[in-house]
Every structure is written in C-alpha cells, then in structure tokens.
Amino acid sequence: MKKHSWTIVFTSCLLAFTVFLAMDTFVLSSVYKTDATGMNTEMFPQAEVSVNKVEDDQQNENAAGDQENEKADEDQEKKEEVEDGESKDSLSGATPQKKKSGNSSDGESDSSSDNKSGSSSSSESAGGSSGTARKRKPGSSSKHGSGSSSKTGSSFDEEEAAEKAASVTTDNAGSSDSYEDENVKITYTQYTTNGTTIHVADVRLSSAEYLKTAFADDTYGKNVTEATSSIAEAHDAILAINGDYYGVQEKGYVIRNGIVYRDEAGENEVLCIYADGSMKIVDPSTVTAQELVDQGVWQAFSFGPGLVEDGEISVSLDSEVGRAKASNPRTAIGVIDDLHYVFVVSDGRTDDSEGLSLYELASFMDQLGVQTAYNLDGGGSSTMVFQNQIINNPTGGFGDREREVSDIVYIG
Amino acid sequence: MYTSDKNEIVHYADGMLHDAFLFLAAGIACAVFGLIYEIFSHEVYSFYMIYAFLIPLVPGALLNLVIAWLAVRKEKQLRIREAATLMIDDAAFEEGTGVFFPGRFTRHAWNSGLAALTVGFLFKGVLDIYGTTNKLIVVYSAAAAVLICAAVFSFLMSYATIRKMHKKAEMSAI
C-alpha cells in the first residue's frame, strides 16, 4: 500500500480536479448580472419610418421588369386599400392591424404584444425564391473559393466540396409563411437543397430597435441556459434564433441591446449590428467594446466566422477544414440592404437533412443577396422560432428537445 | 556500471516492463476514446483529442521499454562478468538498481507528469469539440511541466552525484 501511496494520491487529485473542471465548464452556473434586460435605446434616432415605407421605396427601385416585384406591388396596393382609413404612421402610436390570411391562419390572432398583433399568412410555393434573393453562381464571388488549389489535409477533397457547395441553391423554395405589422415584416421560406432543409426568414424592419437579443432567464452569466423557444416566448418574440452562446466562451465582446456585458476581446471576429441597421464584421483587437457602443453598435456577437463581407464570400473551402467542411446544422444572420435582414437556420445531423458546411452556408446566403453575413452558434443549438412555433428540427437536446442556450436574437 | 545485485536489476526491469504495459494500455484506451469521441463529434476535430494517445505511448510505454531493455542487458553483462559491487554507498542509489536508471522519485514524477498531460490533452479536446474554453485547463500543463522537470532534474542530479562519487572512489583506489 505504501509503495503505491504516491500513485493513489496523485490519481485521486487528478480525478478530482478533472471532475471539478468538467462541472465548472458544463454544469456550475455563475451569475454575473441578474435582470439583464436593459436597453440602451438612446442611440436610436427619433425619426423612424414605417417598414411599409421602406419596402415601398425598395420596391420602387427594383420594380422595372421584375415580375415578382410587380406582384408585390399589386399586393402592396391591395394592402394599402385595406389599410385606407387606418393609421399608417408607426410613430403616431397607431394600433397594429390584426389580420390573417392563407391556409394556416384562420381567424384573428390574440397576441398581447403590439408587434405580435400584425398580419400573418402562409402559402406553399415551389421552384421560386422569396424577396430580393439574387441568383448567383455559387462560389463565383468567393475570395478564397474553388479557384484555390491549396489543400490543408489529405482527407479533404476540395473539388468535391466545391461541387457540393455549388449544388446548394435557393431554387427549391417550399412552404412559406409571413407576418406583418407596421414595424416588422417577416417572410419565412423553407428551402430544400442538396439534401438539406434550410429555413430562411426575410425580415424588414422600420428600425433596428426591433432586432433585439435576450439572455436565458434574463440573466447574464456562465452556464445560465434556457431553450430558445422559452426565451422567445418570455419576450413575446415574433421570430427568434439562437445567438452566439456567449456563456461557453470566456472571451469575446458581449454587447446586447446597446449595453456592454463583456469587454474582453476574444479571438473570433465580431459581428456588429449598428443602431442605423447596418451590419459590419470587425476585428476585436482593433477596438474596445465601449468604443463600439460609442460608435452606435446595438448588438455584437462573438462567434463567427464572417460568411459574407461586402457581398463576397469570406470563408474558403479549405480553411478551418475540421470545422468548415462538416455538414452540420447552422445558424446565420445577414443583411441584404437597409433594415432588411435574413435569419437562416439549416437542419442537419438527421436522415432527412444532412446539414451545411460553412462554405455552403456562405454560398447560400450569398445567393440570398446578403452584403454581410455571419455564422452564429450552430450544431445542436440551431433553432428558429416563428410565431411561437419551432419551425426547424433541433438536434441538440436529449431526445427530441432543443438544446438550452445562453441567448437568442429575436424580432419583437 | 554500478550495481549491487543482479536480482535487483531483474526486479527493476520487471517494474519498468509493468509500467510500459500500463502506458501501452493507457495509450490504446486514449486512442479508442478519441476515436469514439471523434465519431460522434459530427466531424469537428481536435488536435489534442486525436494525438493524446501519443503521450502515454512514446514518452511512456516506449521509454519504459527502452529502460527495461537496458536493465536486462545490464543484468546479462553482470552475469557474464560476475562483477562485484563497485558502488553501494551512494545516496542516489535506489533499491540497488544503479544510478543510470531512473530512481523511484524520478519515475513517479515522470509518470505523473505524463498522466497529467494526457488527461489535459483529452480534456482540451473535449472543450475544443464542444466549442468552449476554461482558463483552469492550464493547470494540467503546469502540473505536467513541474513534474516532468522535477523528474529530469532528479535524474540528472543523481547521475552527477554518482559520477562524482565514482571519480572519488577511483582516486582513492589509486
């Protein structure tokens, strides 16, 4: 016994420390700030415009020769006829409309939230694409795309990856649904491409103020988690996706609703959503979190990588091969133009849906026409909730449950 | 060559062989664990997880095998020469195994360092694949560094001490 005393003592210590570390990493929660629901809305200008006004302007710009836009204009005209006599100015405190149309929306909704009391409709379409999605050849605008001949691993077939990415297109739009009120217009479309189901929410806002974030249990801390749908329900979210799961990272800026929660820079590039609605990917080593807020950053996420920058795919086929080439559930957010966003969640890890690599996701978002797109926490965390319904197929929890996450991005 | 007892050397070699097989088993266990973990990691790979098995295998099992082989060879040489004890009264002479072989403290420190490093690699791999971090992970590498340095220092000190005593004995004989 004495002969093995050192071995026994050391092994016990090693085991105890490992158990503690595992608990500290995955189980034990540390609350840094309770009631983390504050919003720094001072950064928003008082003059806001209705989402319908924004949409009108954009539709007028793109109307010529575009059948989809013509149809949208007709819809808009009908809408305006319906709205005639009612207040159209969102700043005037108008009562939001309550109307539903389509197959899945019989009757009026009874939401208690102003923003949730808009109109919604659903439809089935095939072979089309929603909104202003552009048709690009996948990878055609890549900075490091299929033209690159370098390989980082012998098991990685770049040509195969490029071919696979090229087959991920926005051609096969399936079921769709929509929501609209005076400040928010959301069109949800489900795509099925290359064996993967992709959920896309096309979001138009009258102000970036409606693009919000929320913490699990309204608490900022480590290992404080809650299901995306639960957080969304607690905040009356119209649309919600999982965020960057800041709780499992020790570094990386956390700026939510205009408030700095973590000012320690991480290694990942940061997605900044500004109060004016613009979106930019920044290097955290060049600027502090407080400087970002001073510059008008409303939300900042530290996950990444950036998928599309300045309208060009910014991930390569062969970079970060271990993570990038794997087909997985993914969550991403992108901006098309002023106050016009897309929330994208791809299903994966199931027999029905394989999932996407980062490059495939970037290629898909590029085809949606985004100027900037950013990858959020994916895998089992990927969840999209639209009008209190989980519309994707989360694979992260035990059984069929969703994985609990630290935070969400939502419209509400 | 310094020794007092051929049987002690055989015993020592058996001990080293025993340790070598333990490290071999640990290396195989690490490889299997890493393989299974990577299979279910949805193609998210970690350098640390993949190569953790090399730590018990190379500086663990392989090194112990080499030392065991040296000990066996030494025992054979002694048997042939039937040499008498040359040095017995040195402080670093542990269990009569000879100074050029690592003593008990050295072996404990070395093995413990490798164990800490292996567990640290595996845990780092788990964190990488999960996509999280923990500052405390540095404790593994720090503990491993301290223990391995202590082992090397102990071995070198023993070697230097015996060399010094051997030279002193030679001078006395002259």
Side-chain angles (χ1 to χ4, degrees):
Chain A
M1 185 69 183
K2 188 179 178 182
K3 184 181 175 185
H4 298 292
S5 56
W6 167 258
T7 305
I8 292 169
V9 169
F10 181 78
T11 304
S12 301
C13 291
L14 195 61
L15 189 65
F17 179 72
T18 303
V19 170
F20 165 75
L21 203 57
M23 296 286 285
D24 181 60
T25 306
F26 301 111
V27 181
L28 299 175
S29 60
S30 304
V31 174
Y32 305 136
K33 184 178 182 182
T34 56
D35 194 24
T37 56
M39 291 195 184
N40 178 19
T41 54
E42 293 175 359
M43 59 177 63
F44 289 98
Q46 292 303 309
E48 293 179 350
V49 291
S50 164
V51 65
N52 295 330
K53 177 73 166 58
V54 173
E55 188 184 4
D56 284 345
D57 294 342
Q58 288 164 350
Q59 285 176 346
N60 289 334
E61 289 174 4
N62 301 321
D66 190 329
Q67 290 183 349
E68 288 183 3
N69 284 347
E70 286 177 6
K71 188 180 178 182
D73 287 339
E74 290 173 6
D75 293 343
Q76 190 61 34
E77 287 173 7
K78 290 177 183 176
K79 194 184 303 168
E80 288 173 357
E81 288 175 7
V82 172
E83 292 173 356
D84 197 24
E86 297 179 8
S87 175
K88 295 179 183 178
D89 188 355
S90 63
L91 293 178
S92 63
T95 304
Q97 307 150 43
K98 288 187 177 182
K99 62 177 183 178
K100 278 197 170 188
S101 61
N103 298 331
S104 66
S105 54
D106 296 328
E108 291 188 348
S109 63
D110 293 326
S111 171
S112 59
S113 166
D114 285 348
N115 280 327
K116 293 190 71 177
S117 57
S119 64
S120 65
S121 64
S122 63
S123 63
E124 291 281 340
S125 62
S129 60
S130 67
T132 58
R134 287 179 278 176
K135 298 295 181 190
R136 293 181 184 174
K137 184 181 178 182
S140 61
S141 60
S142 172
K143 288 175 182 172
H144 323 280
S146 55
S148 171
S149 61
S150 63
K151 291 185 179 182
T152 57
S154 57
S155 62
F156 180 64
D157 189 333
E158 190 171 309
E159 289 182 4
E160 183 185 348
E163 286 176 11
K164 195 163 176 285
S167 62
V168 176
T169 68
T170 56
D171 291 338
N172 298 314
S175 61
S176 64
D177 198 356
S178 65
Y179 170 92
E180 184 175 358
D181 63 27
E182 70 273 24
N183 293 314
V184 175
K185 181 179 181 183
I186 300 171
T187 304
Y188 160 75
T189 308
Q190 178 178 305
Y191 295 85
T192 303
T193 177
N194 198 31
T196 297
T197 303
I198 306 173
H199 308 271
V200 178
D202 183 278
V203 178
R204 292 175 186 273
L205 304 174
S206 63
S207 166
E209 193 175 357
Y210 299 103
L211 198 165
K212 301 173 186 173
T213 52
F215 294 125
D217 292 332
D218 289 334
T219 301
Y220 171 65
K222 180 181 178 182
N223 287 331
V224 180
T225 59
E226 193 178 357
T228 297
S229 58
S230 299
I231 309 175
E233 187 178 358
H235 291 267
D236 293 328
I238 304 162
L239 171 75
I241 56 173
N242 61 289
D244 63 358
Y245 212 147
Y246 75 88
V248 298
Q249 303 293 334
E250 295 176 308
K251 295 180 180 177
Y253 294 154
V254 178
I255 301 172
R256 299 300 151 87
N257 302 322
I259 297 172
V260 177
Y261 288 93
R262 185 163 64 202
D263 57 3
E264 193 173 1
E267 295 175 357
N268 298 336
E269 50 194 4
V270 176
L271 173 71
C272 296
I273 301 175
Y274 292 82
D276 64 3
S278 62
M279 197 180 274
K280 190 179 175 185
I281 296 167
V282 302
D283 180 356
S285 64
T286 61
V287 63
T288 66
Q290 189 56 50
E291 285 171 350
L292 287 175
V293 171
D294 294 341
Q295 291 167 12
V297 170
W298 171 237
Q299 314 284 357
F301 303 97
S302 299
F303 199 90
L307 301 170
V308 179
E309 290 184 66
D310 299 325
E312 293 191 340
I313 295 174
S314 56
V315 291
S316 65
L317 282 166
D318 58 352
S319 65
E320 291 186 304
V321 167
R323 290 170 184 269
K325 87 180 181 76
S327 296
N328 272 311
R330 304 280 181 187
T331 301
I333 187 171
V335 63
I336 293 176
D337 48 38
D338 290 345
L339 298 169
H340 183 186
Y341 307 92
V342 282
F343 289 22
V344 175
V345 168
S346 72
D347 285 338
R349 299 180 182 174
T350 66
D351 294 335
D352 298 330
S353 182
E354 183 184 353
L356 298 175
S357 70
L358 286 179
Y359 186 84
E360 289 164 359
L361 178 62
S363 173
F364 181 82
M365 298 205 66
D366 187 47
Q367 292 173 69
L368 290 174
V370 299
Q371 289 301 307
T372 303
Y374 188 82
N375 180 57
L376 293 169
D377 185 25
S381 301
S382 287
T383 307
M384 179 181 279
V385 177
F386 184 44
Q387 300 187 110
N388 290 327
Q389 297 291 322
I390 301 170
I391 55 177
N392 72 316
N393 183 21
T395 57
F398 293 103
D400 293 330
R401 291 189 307 161
E402 334 163 40
R403 175 185 287 174
E404 296 189 336
V405 296
S406 298
D407 58 322
I408 65 166
V409 186
Y410 73 97
I411 304 296
Chain B
M1 182 175 289
Y2 309 98
T3 186
S4 60
D5 190 343
K6 288 181 289 186
N7 293 330
E8 288 288 345
I9 293 183
V10 173
H11 182 68
Y12 180 84
D14 286 343
M16 296 304 286
L17 271 176
H18 177 261
D19 285 358
F21 281 116
L22 281 179
F23 273 116
L24 185 65
I28 292 170
C30 287
V32 171
F33 177 79
L35 184 68
I36 293 172
Y37 208 92
E38 292 289 359
I39 286 173
F40 292 101
S41 69
H42 305 288
E43 294 187 58
V44 179
Y45 302 115
S46 168
F47 164 86
Y48 298 95
M49 182 66 80
I50 292 171
Y51 296 108
F53 75 98
L54 288 177
I55 300 170
L57 223 52
V58 179
L62 191 63
L63 191 62
N64 275 281
L65 277 174
V66 169
I67 294 171
W69 175 73
L70 288 173
V72 170
R73 195 179 70 163
K74 180 172 181 152
E75 189 272 338
K76 282 181 181 174
Q77 287 173 345
L78 278 176
R79 198 167 356 124
I80 292 167
R81 291 166 56 188
E82 294 182 346
T85 300
L86 296 176
M87 292 293 298
I88 52 173
D89 288 325
D90 52 87
F93 195 85
E94 293 188 32
E95 298 176 354
T97 56
V99 293
F100 290 112
F101 296 105
R104 186 164 55 186
F105 176 81
T106 302
R107 287 167 60 192
H108 279 325
W110 181 263
N111 294 348
S112 300
L114 294 186
L117 202 59
T118 305
V119 175
F121 261 55
L122 289 175
F123 203 88
K124 174 70 174 162
V126 170
L127 296 186
D128 280 354
I129 290 170
Y130 188 75
T132 186
T133 56
N134 194 316
K135 289 173 183 171
L136 293 175
I137 194 86
V138 74
V139 170
Y140 287 112
S141 49
V146 168
L147 287 164
I148 289 172
C149 285
V152 172
F153 182 74
S154 161
F155 180 72
L156 292 177
M157 283 298 290
S158 302
Y159 177 77
T161 303
I162 295 306
R163 288 284 293 178
K164 190 176 177 183
M165 295 181 73
H166 177 55
K167 283 184 179 177
K168 196 174 179 182
E170 282 180 335
M171 291 295 289
S172 301
I174 293 170

